[in-house]
Amino acid sequence: MSDKYRDTLAQSHVTTDDAEVAAAVHKICEKAHENMNQEVYRTIFNCIDLTTLNTTDSPRSVADFVDRVNAFDDEHPDLPNVAAICVFPNFAQVVRTVLDVSRVGVACVSGCFPTGQSFIETKIAETSLAVDGGADEIDIVFPVGNYLDGDYEEVCDEIAEQKAAWCDARLKVILETGALKSAKNVRDASILSIYSGADFLKTSTGKGYPGASLEAAYVMCLCIKEYFEKTGTMIGFKAAGGISVTEDAVKYYTLVKEILGEKWLTNEYFRIGASRLANNLLSDILGEETKFF
């Protein structure tokens, strides 16, 4: 009997050979030095989802965090601000209330982040509260366990149901590529997420598993490219988990540039989730060590 999920996966021409992926990434990253310049640093800075996801977060600490983003506009009016502030869903209203910079979005991890393990009703309720509180971007975790069990219908239904519950917010699906491990799993998870309504593919939670890898990013970007060539729809890409220095950020920028092209190199379609990266990148932009955030 035909299986629409496996039929869709079988139609993909994206490589699943891990050695081939590693070789391609190495070749592309040899070009990264061409992008080590001020213009690229500013672009990447403008693509950062500035993130605080700590047990110690509180309304006061999050408000102070947001105030630094407000202050950045005043103290560095010649530089682009970050793309969004990313917090737990219970702080969406705090960010929305304190944030004065209209160009900066409000993003929330949700759906029982970082594991995604709970009832679908709980996930939807949590995200609905985040959206009601002012979030315009939602980062949810791909149902890795169901995927590894081969239950693709459950995987796609869960993503589609969460997407339908808050259609006005942009949906980023976190693949948790460190748990998926292989190029084939990353490819198949990317395709299932895209066809279920993902607006963005995101690499990792940064919690509990290896974070972003260039190899996973390469496969994800190829899937995004393949989908665009079939449908004309642009899906965004977000690297997250352990990216803290400028050189590494430039490598992800280079991958996106070489695979997807210049039109993806804005914060509409390219993001890097980071906390430490912002200060390191800003230091390279200003030419002196800076700890602004």
Side-chain angles (χ1 to χ4, degrees):
M1 184 172 66
S2 178
D3 180 321
K4 65 179 181 180
Y5 307 103
R6 286 169 176 79
D7 289 347
T8 299
L9 297 176
Q11 293 170 16
S12 175
H13 297 292
V14 172
T15 181
T16 58
D17 185 305
D18 292 298
E20 183 179 321
V21 169
V25 167
H26 178 75
K27 185 174 182 180
I28 289 175
C29 286
E30 288 180 339
K31 301 180 181 181
H33 70 277
E34 300 171 7
N35 297 315
M36 298 288 289
N37 60 67
Q38 288 289 312
E39 182 180 356
V40 169
Y41 298 165
R42 289 171 180 242
T43 297
I44 295 173
F45 188 86
N46 189 225
C47 293
I48 287 177
D49 281 356
L50 193 65
T51 303
T52 180
L53 298 172
N54 303 311
T55 302
T56 53
D57 288 344
S58 69
R60 179 178 297 176
S61 72
V62 171
D64 290 344
F65 189 74
V66 177
D67 268 334
R68 295 308 294 156
V69 174
N70 292 334
F72 186 84
D73 248 29
D74 295 329
E75 296 186 33
H76 297 283
D78 57 323
L79 296 178
N81 214 317
V82 296
I85 297 171
C86 185
V87 297
F88 284 115
N90 50 310
F91 298 118
Q93 191 167 12
V94 175
V95 179
R96 181 55 71 196
T97 300
V98 178
L99 185 62
D100 291 332
V101 187
S102 61
R103 300 181 307 281
V104 176
V106 180
C108 287
V109 295
S110 192
C112 300
F113 177 94
T115 65
Q117 298 289 18
S118 191
F119 303 103
I120 185 64
E121 295 85 355
T122 301
K123 298 179 185 183
I124 290 174
E126 182 181 48
T127 304
S128 296
L129 289 168
V131 173
D132 288 346
D136 37 44
E137 301 178 4
I138 297 295
D139 296 31
I140 67 167
V141 183
F142 180 80
V144 177
N146 289 330
Y147 168 80
L148 294 175
D149 276 355
D151 192 351
Y152 298 163
E153 182 174 10
E154 181 64 27
V155 167
C156 293
D157 285 351
E158 179 172 317
I159 295 171
E161 191 169 347
Q162 292 190 71
K163 171 68 174 178
W166 57 87
C167 56
D168 291 338
R170 299 183 78 191
L171 179 64
K172 305 188 194 100
V173 177
I174 311 168
L175 300 188
E176 198 65 290
T177 57
L180 292 173
K181 297 180 181 178
S182 70
K184 183 181 186 305
N185 283 339
V186 172
R187 185 201 69 171
D188 291 355
S190 296
I191 293 169
L192 293 174
S193 297
I194 291 171
Y195 279 88
S196 299
D199 299 302
F200 260 80
L201 296 181
K202 177 178 172 181
T203 58
S204 319
T205 64
K207 310 284 186 182
Y209 288 93
S213 75
L214 292 161
E215 290 76 17
Y218 174 82
V219 175
M220 293 163 71
C221 287
L222 286 182
C223 291
I224 290 169
K225 180 179 181 180
E226 185 176 67
Y227 186 74
F228 175 72
E229 290 173 345
K230 287 182 179 180
T231 68
T233 299
M234 293 174 69
I235 303 295
F237 168 75
K238 178 176 175 179
I243 305 169
S244 61
V245 298
T246 299
E247 183 179 0
D248 288 342
V250 170
K251 289 178 181 177
Y252 285 95
Y253 173 97
T254 303
L255 275 179
V256 172
K257 179 181 179 181
E258 294 297 319
I259 297 170
L260 294 171
E262 296 277 355
K263 58 188 173 184
W264 258 268
L265 295 175
T266 71
N267 63 26
E268 183 75 10
Y269 296 105
F270 175 48
R271 298 287 180 86
I272 295 183
S275 50
R276 292 174 294 166
L277 175 63
N279 284 329
N280 290 332
L281 197 56
L282 187 58
S283 296
D284 287 327
I285 292 171
L286 299 178
E288 59 184 15
E289 185 175 1
T290 303
K291 295 183 177 179
F292 189 92
F293 296 104

